[in-house]
Amino acid sequence: DEPQIRAVLAAVPGVTAVEAGEGEGPGTLGFRLRYTVEDPRRAIFEAVVKSGLVLLEVRRQKVSLEETFRKLTATAAPRAAA
């Protein structure tokens, strides 16, 4: 169940956020994880296996500086003109 999986993923050292993502079809769930500098894929795999869950895929996605800037400026509140 989703809350259990989120808890397992959030408990992995270095993981700072667990967000909903797209699953691959019926009966699957997808998540996006944010993490510190250390690559947590091995620890994620081990935690999932230890919990008796099935992991279909782990993919690392780097965000470009441009994408980060776009996200930051899109969510910033407009400032009132003086």
Side-chain angles (χ1 to χ4, degrees):
D1 96 302
E2 187 174 344
Q4 176 197 6
I5 297 168
R6 280 180 177 272
V8 168
L9 296 173
V12 172
V15 172
T16 59
V18 179
E19 303 168 355
E22 291 185 33
E24 291 190 351
T28 65
L29 297 170
F31 297 94
R32 283 186 304 276
L33 279 61
R34 299 200 182 276
Y35 56 91
T36 56
V37 178
E38 189 76 26
D39 184 353
R41 288 180 288 180
R42 178 181 298 273
I44 290 168
F45 176 79
E46 290 171 354
V48 168
V49 169
K50 185 177 180 180
S51 297
L53 301 169
V54 176
L55 182 65
L56 298 178
E57 180 179 8
V58 176
R59 198 174 347 145
R60 186 173 179 186
Q61 180 180 2
K62 291 188 177 191
V63 179
S64 70
L65 182 58
E66 180 181 350
E67 179 68 22
T68 302
F69 177 76
R70 199 173 323 135
K71 285 181 181 180
L72 290 172
T73 57
T75 59
R79 294 167 56 178

